[in-house]
Amino acid sequence: PALGFLGGDLRIEGAEDLTKIYTLVLPSTGGDFRITGATALKTVLADELTEAGGAVIISGSPDLVTFTMPGLTTTGGDLALNNTGLASLAFYGLQTVGGELSVGSNAALTSFRATELTEVTGSVTVIENDVLAVLELPKLTSASSLVVSNNPAR
């Protein structure tokens, strides 16, 4: 059966041999969508996820090269993508982040786009992405602060 709703968190922590995560039929979580320390992770596909009641955190996955979450419109908490191997990152439907937005220490990241994002409750921090050349947040109208720093290609 397809998991239609997860009332709490989806957490994957320290799964060092995990290479793929597919949550193709999960439309929402009541809590966090959190993947940390999955050092061999290469692929995350969460195509149907539209809402996370808590944070969306992907961190400590330096081999991650494929990440899709095209339907995500809102997070109730932070959105953080740090220390990944992603070359590009796009959230075309994301409108609201209910916490901090952090994109940092992604050595291969050349572009970050959140074209519909209007509101971040906390700060927006884009730091230490060595080859970041494109940062698009064209509709962002509200955030507590905006820090773009140490992105040498920018």
Side-chain angles (χ1 to χ4, degrees):
L3 182 61
F5 175 74
L6 184 61
D9 296 343
L10 184 150
R11 287 181 179 250
I12 299 170
E13 298 173 336
E16 295 176 359
D17 295 328
L18 184 66
T19 60
K20 296 176 187 166
I21 298 171
Y22 300 115
T23 62
L24 299 178
V25 296
L26 180 65
S28 65
T29 66
D32 294 349
F33 185 103
R34 181 180 301 262
I35 302 166
T36 58
T39 56
L41 187 63
K42 294 188 182 327
T43 304
V44 175
L45 302 177
D47 291 353
E48 296 299 320
L49 189 70
T50 59
E51 180 178 358
V56 174
I57 309 282
I58 312 291
S59 181
S61 298
D63 291 345
L64 182 64
V65 293
T66 303
F67 175 83
T68 63
M69 203 173 270
L72 186 67
T73 60
T74 186
T75 70
D78 297 345
L79 173 59
L81 288 111
N82 300 305
N83 191 23
T84 73
L86 294 169
S88 66
L89 186 55
F91 291 96
Y92 292 116
L94 183 65
Q95 298 169 6
T96 305
V97 174
E100 311 285 325
L101 170 59
S102 170
V103 178
S105 300
N106 298 291
L109 191 66
T110 61
S111 66
F112 175 71
R113 293 176 169 92
T115 55
E116 298 300 314
L117 182 64
T118 58
E119 180 181 1
V120 177
T121 302
S123 62
V124 175
T125 306
V126 181
I127 60 170
E128 299 176 0
N129 300 289
D130 295 341
V131 293
L132 184 68
V134 176
L135 174 61
E136 289 184 20
L137 303 168
K139 295 185 179 179
L140 184 64
T141 58
S142 177
S144 66
S145 66
L146 174 64
V147 177
V148 179
S149 177
N150 294 324
N151 299 292
R154 258 201 72 66

